Amino acid sequence: MNLVIFGAPGCGKGTQSERLIDRFGFYHISTGELLRDHIARKTELGIIAEKYISQGHLIPDELMLSIIDVLLDSPEVKDRSIIFDGFPRTVNQAEELEKLLVKRGNKVDAVIGLEVPDEELVERLIKRGQDSGRADDNIDTIKERLDVYHNQTQPLKKFYQERGSYRTINGSQSIDKIAEDIAQLVATI
Ligand code: AMP
């Protein structure tokens, strides 16, 4: 089973992915974490990615898609159920992901949309910046990332609704309640 955990920055995608991994044993593909790891290791990709991430912009689709293409064939990912977290983030990425999965006899089975109002997201991200020191969790970059989300990523909701795979979860509830709602939903897929 392949799931996409979907929503704005700060909606709880990472936290809920961890819960799903503990409960169901998915392989977790978090493109944000993957890129931050490259930045920390100062790889060629990390150096390119840092320029986009620090401004709150998306890294180019071709770059992101080539990383996913390679990752899907790696021994630790092959034949596993996957949670995609932070990917796809544009309609083009979603269309290309569909092709990458079809090529491997697979598909996206469900998209779990964690819906949280913007004001709450800003509060959460500012707090996360203070606690974790994540460089892009500062007020200017947060505003840019939310704009990017609304302009480039939110259209994916309609894309997946049209395919009948979008499921809404109220992301303003407690972490445990959200995890429970998601687990119930996953059980029906
Ligand atoms: P995240 O940890 O998912 O909030 O991602 C942090 C940053 O990494 C984003 O603001 C983007 O700059 C970059 N990034 C993560 N995933 C993607 C993606 N699928 N496409 C383009 N850029 C991405």
Side-chain angles (χ1 to χ4, degrees):
M1 184 195 298
N2 296 310
L3 299 181
V4 172
I5 190 140
F6 178 82
C11 73
K13 297 188 292 292
T15 305
Q16 294 301 330
S17 294
E18 295 304 332
R19 295 290 183 105
L20 278 165
I21 294 157
D22 288 347
R23 196 149 172 175
F24 299 103
F26 285 92
Y27 186 86
H28 185 204
I29 297 184
S30 160
T31 43
E33 269 175 29
L34 190 149
L35 295 168
R36 282 188 290 280
D37 175 59
H38 276 271
I39 291 173
R41 290 189 288 117
K42 298 188 168 44
T43 65
E44 206 177 321
L45 168 63
I47 292 163
I48 297 170
E50 189 168 23
K51 295 194 184 108
Y52 293 93
I53 293 184
S54 62
Q55 291 176 42
H57 297 154
L58 299 182
I59 73 157
D61 282 357
E62 311 78 63
L63 196 53
M64 202 68 254
L65 286 159
S66 66
I67 297 166
I68 298 289
D69 195 11
V70 172
L71 195 54
L72 290 178
D73 284 335
S74 68
E76 69 267 29
V77 184
K78 246 182 153 178
D79 303 323
R80 294 277 305 272
S81 290
I82 300 171
I83 299 179
F84 292 97
D85 162 5
F87 177 88
R89 249 178 160 102
T90 62
V91 171
N92 178 46
Q93 287 183 11
E95 286 168 347
E96 294 302 317
L97 173 63
E98 205 161 69
K99 290 182 200 160
L100 292 178
L101 291 175
V102 165
K103 221 164 61 179
R104 293 164 173 90
N106 250 312
K107 64 179 168 56
V108 168
D109 295 288
V111 177
I112 298 170
L114 295 177
E115 302 202 351
V116 177
D118 274 13
E119 312 79 66
E120 197 177 327
L121 294 169
V122 173
E123 267 178 43
R124 287 189 194 182
L125 290 167
I126 289 173
K127 182 160 188 316
R128 185 171 78 184
Q130 287 160 354
D131 295 344
S132 75
R134 219 177 104 166
D136 56 350
D137 285 341
N138 63 74
I139 190 65
D140 291 337
T141 317
I142 289 168
K143 284 192 175 139
E144 186 59 34
R145 284 158 65 208
L146 285 176
D147 276 353
V148 167
Y149 172 75
H150 289 302
N151 293 325
Q152 299 188 55
T153 307
Q154 212 170 27
L156 277 176
K157 176 174 171 176
K158 186 161 165 273
F159 175 92
Y160 283 119
Q161 276 174 333
E162 283 168 0
R163 281 159 176 72
S165 47
Y166 189 86
R167 310 276 193 284
T168 302
I169 295 280
N170 173 0
S172 294
Q173 310 174 97
S174 72
I175 291 174
D176 285 343
K177 176 71 170 75
I178 297 169
E180 206 37 57
D181 285 0
I182 296 176
Q184 275 183 21
L185 195 155
V186 170
T188 67
I189 297 165

